């Protein structure tokens, strides 16, 4: 028995690279211009549940945070819940000390039955490509701007799930809680050569293509999809930087109830397209100040769980 889920958009099995993959602003403009597609960008603000809302019988309470950037200890308390979710950028550079401290911190919350996290572009040591590059440069002693990563012992970078012993680390992987299916992955559009940076278009789409299309309830990515909580503020204008192919994947193929992410700090917020609730739960704000509240929601337990 599948639970009730309003699907507003016709579901497809395959997503092709969007012709406007590289230009999220133009992609959204084009969607809105056509009467055939404008319904895909009817974005409604929704207010998150007040943090003191009593837990509901027959539901699983999720507490969502992201982008703590090593400042997790400033979050002195967290709302009570069954599952804690973190959408990446839990460190500054993925250094061993910070990863260990984060693990210890997350381990101190005994009330959560499950703690689930993904990496972000700041978890440099979790990205095998960057780790390999650093090692190569260290060997031939050429300059590498990732030089700080040399301080991360190889044993740690090769075995990160063991360092994060107090939570479940998802990388292109799925976990079920009370029959609720959660999938997570760290990939994000190239920007400055950081961890899990991936080219827009085919390369990123190949990562999103790994997300199962048969009923994921909660999707965790580090980066936002185009059009939902993805605006960067410049001095005079705003620019969308979310992933176009992720937006197509979420709205047309995966159709989860919730899509959680962070990465674009200034776009912290909670919106819906009438099918999926999109939550940017970045803890730090545009000036990297730790200040935003965690976001909570209650997910009805599937009847056959
Ligand atoms: P972080 O370094 O924590 O991943 O991202 C910090 C900030 O960098 C974001 O809040 C956003 O202002 C900016 N940023 C991150 N990714 C992009 C991107 O792809 N394009 C632009 N223009 N800014 C980005
Ligand atoms: Mn643009
Ligand atoms: Mn961040
Ligand atoms: Mn980020």
């Amino acid at each position: 028995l599948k639970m009730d889920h309003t699907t507003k958009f016709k579901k497809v099995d395959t997503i092709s690279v969007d012709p406007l993959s590289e230009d999220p602003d133009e992609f959204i403009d084009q969607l809105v211009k056509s009467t055939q597609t404008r319904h895909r960008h009817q974005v409604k603000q929704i207010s998150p549940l007040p943090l003191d809302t009593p837990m509901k019988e027959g539901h699983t309470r999720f507490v969502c945070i992201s982008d703590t950037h090593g400042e997790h200890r400033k979050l002195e308390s967290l709302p009570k819940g069954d599952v804690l979710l973190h959408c990446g950028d839990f460190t500054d550079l993925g250094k061993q000390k910070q990863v260990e401290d984060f693990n210890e911190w997350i381990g101190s919350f005994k009330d959560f039955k499950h703690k689930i996290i993904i990496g972000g572009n700041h978890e440099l040591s979790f990205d095998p490509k960057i780790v390999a590059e650093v090692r190569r440069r260290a060997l031939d002693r050429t300059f590498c701007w990732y030089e700080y990563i040399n301080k991360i012992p190889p044993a740690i970078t090769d075995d990160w799930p063991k360092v994060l012993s107090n939570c479940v680390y998802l990388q292109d992987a799925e976990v079920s809680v009370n029959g609720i299916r959660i999938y997570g992955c760290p990939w994000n559009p190239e920007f400055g050569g950081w961890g899990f940076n991936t080219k827009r278009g085919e390369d990123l789409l190949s990562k999103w293509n790994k997300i199962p299309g048969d009923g994921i309830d909660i999707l965790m990515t580090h980066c936002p999809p185009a059009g939902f909580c993805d605006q960067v503020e410049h001095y005079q204008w705003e620019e969308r930087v979310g992933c176009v192919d992720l937006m197509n994947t979420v709205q047309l193929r995966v159709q989860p109830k919730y899509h959680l992410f962070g990465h674009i700090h200034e776009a912290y917020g909670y919106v819906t397209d009438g099918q999926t609730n999109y939550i940017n739960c970045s803890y730090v704000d545009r000036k990297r100040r730790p200040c935003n509240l965690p976001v909570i929601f209650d997910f009805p337990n599937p009847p056959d769980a």
Side-chain angles (χ1 to χ4, degrees):
L1 247 163
K2 193 82 195 99
M3 47 173 286
D4 250 10
H5 185 160
T6 345
T7 43
K8 182 176 164 191
F9 306 102
K10 190 174 153 34
K11 193 165 160 58
V12 302
D13 290 333
T14 317
I15 298 290
S16 316
V17 174
D18 197 282
L20 292 171
S21 252
E22 310 267 349
D23 195 342
D25 273 322
E26 189 57 26
F27 167 72
I28 295 296
D29 285 354
Q30 293 296 327
L31 278 189
V32 173
K33 262 188 205 147
S34 157
T35 51
Q36 315 271 288
T37 53
R38 64 187 326 157
H39 66 299
R40 294 189 56 201
H41 193 66
Q42 279 160 357
V43 184
K44 259 203 330 215
Q45 299 282 334
I46 32 185
S47 352
L49 276 185
L51 295 184
D52 58 359
T53 308
M55 307 244 275
K56 249 202 228 160
E57 186 78 27
H59 287 65
T60 300
R61 162 81 43 104
F62 289 85
V63 177
C64 314
I65 53 174
S66 188
D67 295 78
T68 43
H69 285 280
E71 311 258 33
H72 43 268
R73 290 194 186 271
K74 295 204 172 136
L75 266 165
E76 280 157 21
S77 69
L78 284 172
K80 282 213 185 327
D82 301 299
V83 187
L84 177 63
L85 302 176
H86 191 302
C87 296
D89 280 1
F90 51 94
T91 67
D92 267 328
L93 304 166
K95 280 189 188 174
Q96 180 186 354
K97 267 221 167 87
Q98 233 171 25
V99 177
E100 283 173 352
D101 188 64
F102 179 82
N103 185 58
E104 195 186 299
W105 173 79
I106 208 165
S108 72
F109 295 94
K110 304 291 182 202
D111 289 343
F112 294 104
K113 289 182 214 84
H114 308 271
K115 299 147 192 171
I116 301 165
I117 87 165
I118 61 171
N121 54 311
H122 278 257
E123 276 70 65
L124 290 170
S125 58
F126 285 54
D127 183 341
K129 254 201 211 157
I130 290 181
V131 172
E133 172 74 358
V134 170
R135 284 191 189 144
R136 194 177 62 75
R137 301 279 185 111
L139 281 178
D140 62 20
R141 292 173 184 270
T142 49
F143 172 78
C144 179
W145 77 268
Y146 302 123
E147 60 173 37
Y148 38 76
I149 224 176
N150 286 327
K151 294 171 190 131
I152 302 167
I156 295 295
T157 53
D158 286 340
D159 224 353
W160 31 259
K162 284 212 178 118
V163 183
L164 290 174
S165 56
N166 292 328
C167 50
V168 173
Y169 174 79
L170 293 182
Q171 186 171 320
D172 304 317
E174 174 184 342
V175 68
S176 273
V177 173
N178 299 338
I180 301 162
R181 292 176 65 191
I182 304 155
Y183 183 95
C185 57
W187 314 102
N188 56 86
E190 275 190 323
F191 187 67
W194 287 74
F196 303 110
N197 269 198
T198 308
K199 274 195 178 40
R200 291 181 189 267
E202 224 172 277
D203 289 1
L204 264 178
L205 180 60
S206 74
K207 303 298 186 189
W208 313 138
N209 279 345
K210 294 180 185 173
I211 309 169
D214 63 343
I216 291 298
D217 297 300
I218 300 173
L219 176 65
M220 301 167 72
T221 59
H222 180 58
C223 69
F228 302 99
C229 301
D230 70 328
Q231 272 186 328
V232 170
E233 292 168 16
H234 299 286
Y235 290 102
Q236 303 288 333
W237 77 99
E238 289 182 331
E239 183 193 5
R240 293 195 178 281
V241 300
C243 178
V244 169
D245 294 303
L246 179 57
M247 193 279 200
N248 287 331
T249 298
V250 169
Q251 206 175 54
L252 304 179
R253 189 177 70 78
V254 177
Q255 308 192 323
K257 263 286 191 201
Y258 287 86
H259 182 189
L260 315 179
F261 47 87
H263 187 47
I264 304 305
H265 306 158
E266 51 273 62
Y268 171 88
Y270 194 108
V271 300
T272 186
D273 61 6
Q275 176 177 271
T276 295
N277 296 328
Y278 299 85
I279 305 175
N280 180 328
C281 48
S282 176
Y283 175 47
V284 298
D285 70 0
R286 60 188 293 249
K287 291 193 164 160
R288 277 267 215 135
R289 288 173 300 214
C291 64
N292 291 326
L293 291 174
V295 178
I296 64 170
F297 64 86
D298 293 329
F299 199 100
N301 296 334
D304 53 353

